[in-house]
Amino acid sequence: MTQTEPFRPTTSDAGLDAILDRVETGLADDLVPVEIFNDEAVFRAEIDRIFTNNWVFVAHESEIPNPGDFVQRRIGVDPVIVTRDGKGGINVLSNYCRHRGTQVCQTDSGNSRFFKCPYHGWTYNNQGQLVGTPHLQDAYGVRLDPDDWSLMRAPRVDTRQGFVFASLNPDVPTLDEYLGGAGWMLDLIAGLHPKGMRVAGPPDRYKVKADWKTAAENFSGDVYHLDVLHWGTEEIHVSQGLQASCEIGRRYEFGNGHNFTGHAWTKAIHPGYVLWGYPPEITQHFDLSGLDEAQLHVVNHEPPTVGTIFPNLSFIRFNTPAVPGGPMSVVTSFRQWQPVGPGEIELWSWQFVWDFMTEEEVEEHYVTGEFVFGSAGIFEQDDTVAWEGIPRAAASPWLRKAGMQFNFQQGRNSEVDQSPDPTWTGPGLRRNTGYGEHVQLAFYRHWLEVMRGAAAPTSPTEGN
């Protein structure tokens, strides 16, 4: 049977508040209304209230190491140019010419001191300043004031472990305040060596007919799907023991929509399986002296496997062979769920490696990463196909009329202890099981807060 393109409902702006009211009521009972995953008014509000108001990841410093380097990226639906200027500063510039709005940068990456609009030739330097207008005397008579006519610049730009974030809202808290415990976790993910990590190449980019929230909450820690959706990877001996993923899962909730999930590898495999199972030739380069006691415990015994930094940056790291029965490599991928429209994203996926790795080690880890989580990766294909069903359900006239809600009530009657760990000394909350949908609910509760207009950073409490 041929599938038709989904109908895209459009709620009136006045009806948006009614949808958010339904979300608030639903979340009180651990339910999420179906319509938020494919609705024009919801999407417009997300772009306006979330992506233009929060810190958003735009690049990694290793992508622009030299003066003049640039990459073209997006904040929500806005194209931006991330540049390294001659003084080493990082700039995030609107890619719309101030004269008529034509994009001044037409390439994904490169090195240039200037960006020249192809329409009328207005020219800007890599700090965004207007430095040239053709036929100046005849056309304008006087030099246009760069303070008035330079490219728009993101008012806030900052980095953590080489990850560059920008905010279009000048009044947001500092990046460190915003990240909170997620920054603490990012430090142990990418900061185990003084030179940190770097990208192994440009990101994969491809469109998926899925909602960005589905991908973000999945990578917050939906381990419940592993032994069902990814069972094929066990059949070809790429992964093992997926049925135990929930039992050995560890949930980390950091507030502000940031959530991670790890696994107790030393319990599940053997006591020496520390640091994600990296081999000694890699771990001998690590320096753990800067980690606190809780970080040391996490990185050695229950390290993060997946995680999401709100709104749309996610992470995955695990040990896997590049081919069935082949040598093991620890894959590190960061991915961004770029919103395109209601029920549609462009998936950007980077493979990360340690800066100290040899070319041979980099190639091995990159190839393995592409095999499992590249555009044709065996895990990636499973996830994206499943996710595409959700906006179809969200667009269903029948389901919307019936007021259908998705069930996030897993574990309500379970005998498994899902309460926060009272012995946890790190930031936020930790739960010692992968059962329950606490991190997904934490994501949607923060989504609702931001959609309602809340901006101040928050921390999780035991009442969540």
Side-chain angles (χ1 to χ4, degrees), residues 320-398:
T320 184
V323 294
M328 303 288 282
S329 295
V330 179
V331 169
T332 302
S333 173
F334 279 84
R335 51 254 328 283
Q336 197 167 26
W337 324 108
Q338 303 281 17
V340 174
E344 186 173 7
I345 59 173
E346 189 171 73
L347 197 166
W348 293 30
S349 174
W350 294 260
Q351 303 297 338
F352 274 71
V353 295
W354 294 100
D355 189 76
F356 60 77
M357 283 181 169
T358 65
E359 290 187 13
E360 182 179 357
E361 289 169 335
V362 168
E363 181 178 0
E364 174 188 312
H365 284 69
Y366 181 82
V367 169
T368 305
E370 289 295 293
F371 174 65
V372 290
F373 270 104
S375 57
I378 57 173
F379 282 90
E380 195 92 305
Q381 292 180 71
D382 292 342
D383 285 331
T384 52
V385 169
W387 296 344
E388 288 192 343
I390 295 168
R392 290 183 179 277
S396 162
W398 178 15

Side-chain angles (χ1 to χ4, degrees), residues 30 65 77 81 113 175 185 223 240 245 365 408 445 462:
D30 297 346
V77 296
I81 316 166
R113 292 175 58 198
L175 177 63
M185 190 68 91
V223 293
Q240 301 177 42
S245 295
H365 284 69
F408 284 77
R445 288 184 176 121
E462 292 196 11

